[in-house]
Amino acid sequence: MHGSHSHPPGRGHNAASGVVQWQTPHDDHAAPHPHERAQPDTEKDLDLVAQAFAQGFAATDDPTSFLRLAGIPFEAKTADGKRIVLLRVEREQIADVGSVTPQVGGGDFRYAPLPARLAGRRDKLTFAYFDGDNVVRLDFVAARALTPA
């Protein structure tokens, strides 16, 4: 029975509560179906993983083991083969309380304080490694991508 509903699919319509993907197996290059939802953005997923790591790291009583479980190397080699060692994990708490919009033609901007419901908070993690000469700061993704020494 094919009928028109005036409400979106929900429970009882064989719809999952998560992401739903419509596929056309016989046509890999078909235009997206109107009901198809975009796949999660890899960067967004990595941001969520980094955010979860930041929250867990802040709460752990054993930061060394937490780093090992997360795959953050204490000693590593960079892409150019230089040896680096982990000195510290730096956690910065950031609160966004205003926005800036450039004016047409440049040279000036418009500033607007954000109302409480739009203000945002986030944690930023930096892994401080020493390369023999300088401190090199890496984000979560770059630290996990290092080759352990």
Side-chain angles (χ1 to χ4, degrees):
M1 178 172 162
H2 296 285
S4 177
H5 292 302
S6 61
H7 61 85
R11 300 248 183 236
H13 288 271
N14 296 327
S17 60
V19 174
V20 176
Q21 178 181 357
W22 293 85
Q23 297 178 348
T24 309
H26 62 280
D27 189 0
D28 291 341
H29 303 290
H33 190 281
H35 294 105
E36 184 175 347
R37 295 184 186 171
Q39 291 296 320
D41 184 15
T42 303
E43 286 184 25
K44 181 179 178 185
D45 287 348
L46 290 173
D47 286 346
L48 294 174
V49 170
Q51 180 182 4
F53 176 88
Q55 291 169 350
F57 190 78
T60 187
D61 291 334
D62 186 357
T64 302
S65 293
F66 197 86
L67 289 166
R68 285 189 180 106
L69 284 171
I72 304 294
F74 288 87
E75 294 186 45
K77 291 200 181 280
T78 62
D80 61 358
K82 196 167 195 176
R83 178 178 173 247
I84 60 175
V85 294
L86 183 62
L87 296 177
R88 66 183 157 271
V89 178
E90 300 169 347
R91 182 174 172 229
E92 180 181 6
Q93 293 181 326
I94 301 166
D96 296 310
V97 296
S99 70
V100 175
T101 306
Q103 296 292 345
V104 176
D108 200 8
F109 60 89
R110 180 178 171 271
Y111 170 74
L114 294 172
R117 65 178 165 56
L118 295 179
R121 294 181 188 268
R122 63 186 186 279
D123 288 333
K124 180 180 175 185
L125 280 179
T126 305
F127 298 87
Y129 284 87
F130 184 66
D131 69 1
D133 296 316
N134 299 301
V135 174
V136 178
R137 287 180 169 77
L138 303 175
D139 66 10
F140 180 75
V141 174
R144 283 191 35 96
L146 290 170
T147 303

